[in-house]
Amino acid sequence: MLHFPSKNTAAHTADPTDVTRLHQLLGHHIWAFSNCRVDAPPVRVQEVDWLFYNSLNGTFILSEWKRFPAQVSQVRDVGEPWGLANGASVANPLEQVARQLDAVRRALRLSVVGKHLPAVDQHAINVYQSVYCPQVTEATRQERLRYGTVHATLDELARTVERRAVTAPLVVVSGIAQVALADALAELFRCSVGTAVRRKLDPPVAVGPPALPEPAAAAPRTRVAAIHRELAALHLELASLVDAPAPAPVPAPVPAPAQVPVPVPVPGTPAKKALAAQAKKSPPVAGHLQHHVMKHVPSARAGSDHVRVAFLAALQDGQLRKSGVHVGEFGALVGQRLEGSVKLASLTPGGLKKWCLTQAEAAGIPAEPDATHPSVVRLVRTAGQR
């Protein structure tokens, strides 16, 4: 995620914990403008908590963040207040975000579309509205909403930002045009462009003679990114097929001599020999990796947190210290645990390897790709380790 914080010193600032979590969930193709001030006369000036722009899908997602002193007991559509578990009523956030939507849409029409997206019909601008409220739980009664959605977790919000699509995407292709659009949006919504964001946005400087103009039929940046995502999904599926454990061959029965009695296990006695024989049947590395996935990733309703715990446990497993964690094998094992419509790509946005390294960094665990085998992630040896 590329974060554009408010440059208004009087504005509220985003919680660093929330910003860190969004960085983990969203890739650099998501531009996030926080604590925006939107001035689009004659519409009244609006203060916007978060405005997300998906530069690949060409979508804007407006998000109003609300935190209440008690659990939300009922979410109602516009026209009625929300109810809290303590019996209180609060102003309907959906009505607030609807007013913000009018201002954002008008500002985009007046200041952005004509100059940076001239081919887009101004009346086709479709900004998606949403509310994030962590006090909304499974026990909350929700009416059917006519517009937008209510998110109870940042994971749900991130999925909407990543997947939201429109019939008229607001996309610019070239790197120079993207920089100009980012500057225009930051200025429009009173946000700043940090040095790190600028470095990720600026296109590389061409070396040598100027290149000839590309033909109009050349593959646009959005299609290249989509192809990369499709390739990543295919690689994960291929890994799950190649690395799937084959059924153990059934050995042919060997008749035992009649005079040798067959040992009968005594109840309560530790079967050490049986355990040792079982351990020899599966490779230690694959067995340990599978153990962590089976232990921490449930077969039903698995989430990103389950995958993160499984990866960090495998990364710190002493038995896997020498081999490291093969990201492809790990993804294949996790994929075998997922059921229904849950996909590994939705749980690990931005790519599995990058996501794994981000989780290790967030947990304070030094890890890096192996220099010889980049698909393997291992702990970084420190001076205190042998």
Side-chain angles (χ1 to χ4, degrees):
M1 178 186 76
L2 301 185
H3 183 208
F4 301 77
S6 175
K7 61 183 178 182
N8 183 4
T9 56
H12 294 286
T13 56
D15 188 330
T17 304
D18 294 332
V19 175
T20 300
R21 183 58 180 156
L22 289 174
H23 275 299
Q24 296 172 352
L25 294 171
L26 301 171
H28 291 165
H29 60 287
I30 304 297
W31 303 355
F33 303 85
S34 63
N35 306 109
C36 313
R37 178 180 174 88
V38 186
D39 189 2
V43 180
R44 184 179 177 182
V45 175
Q46 297 292 326
E47 304 292 337
V48 173
D49 289 338
W50 286 88
L51 180 65
F52 299 94
Y53 171 62
N54 188 324
S55 61
L56 294 182
N57 294 347
T59 54
F60 283 92
I61 296 90
L62 178 62
S63 182
E64 172 67 16
W65 288 30
K66 289 294 183 183
R67 285 183 168 88
F68 298 113
Q71 176 184 325
V72 177
S73 61
Q74 187 169 12
V75 169
R76 298 185 175 97
D77 203 359
V78 293
E80 297 183 77
W82 283 14
L84 303 184
N86 59 8
S89 295
V90 293
N92 193 325
L94 293 169
E95 297 177 349
Q96 181 178 352
V97 78
R99 293 191 294 270
Q100 297 172 359
L101 178 67
D102 291 338
V104 170
R105 187 161 45 197
R106 180 169 177 80
L108 291 175
R109 288 174 177 172
L110 292 176
S111 306
V112 175
V113 175
K115 180 177 181 181
H116 300 275
L117 300 159
V120 176
D121 181 7
Q122 292 191 4
H123 299 285
I125 297 176
N126 184 9
V127 180
Y128 192 69
Q129 59 192 37
S130 65
V131 173
Y132 164 62
C133 178
Q135 283 74 42
V136 174
T137 66
E138 293 182 353
T140 303
R141 300 190 304 276
Q142 295 196 40
E143 290 185 2
R144 184 175 180 180
L145 306 180
R146 285 176 291 176
Y147 304 105
T149 187
V150 175
H151 300 115
T153 66
L154 290 179
D155 294 65
E156 294 177 4
L157 173 60
R159 283 194 288 271
T160 295
V161 173
E162 288 282 2
R163 299 177 182 177
R164 173 70 179 164
V166 292
T167 54
L170 307 176
V171 177
V172 293
V173 178
S174 70
I176 296 176
Q178 279 207 339
V179 174
L181 177 61
D183 286 335
L185 292 175
E187 183 64 26
L188 177 62
F189 299 122
R190 314 289 177 85
C191 293
S192 61
V193 185
T195 304
V197 172
R198 176 74 64 189
R199 189 165 53 247
K200 293 182 176 67
L201 279 172
D202 281 339
V205 179
V207 178
L212 295 175
E214 294 184 0
R221 183 174 180 177
T222 52
R223 182 54 187 157
V224 172
I227 291 173
H228 280 298
R229 291 197 300 271
E230 292 168 8
L231 287 175
L234 290 173
H235 278 299
L236 287 175
E237 183 179 353
L238 179 62
S240 65
L241 295 174
V242 173
D243 298 331
V250 179
V254 179
Q259 67 275 17
V260 178
V262 178
V264 179
V266 179
T269 302
K272 296 183 179 179
K273 293 183 179 180
L275 291 175
Q278 179 65 26
K280 291 179 180 178
K281 291 182 180 180
S282 59
V285 173
H288 277 276
L289 187 57
Q290 185 176 26
H291 164 74
H292 293 297
V293 173
M294 297 287 288
K295 179 180 179 182
H296 297 293
V297 181
S299 57
R301 303 188 68 177
S304 296
D305 289 338
H306 299 110
V307 183
R308 175 179 59 82
V309 173
F311 171 73
L312 295 180
L315 184 62
Q316 301 174 88
D317 189 336
Q319 299 296 327
L320 299 175
R321 186 68 55 82
K322 182 178 180 180
S323 66
V325 177
H326 192 289
V327 176
E329 293 180 4
F330 174 73
L333 292 171
V334 173
Q336 294 170 14
R337 299 284 291 169
L338 303 180
E339 295 181 352
S341 60
V342 181
K343 302 297 182 185
L344 181 60
S346 64
L347 301 182
T348 57
L352 180 58
K353 178 182 172 183
K354 176 183 175 183
W355 183 88
C356 288
L357 291 171
T358 301
Q359 306 313 305
E361 180 181 1
I365 302 173
E368 64 182 7
D370 186 90
T372 308
H373 303 286
S375 59
V376 173
V377 174
R378 60 175 71 254
L379 285 174
V380 178
R381 292 184 178 271
T382 61
Q385 294 178 329
R386 292 187 298 175

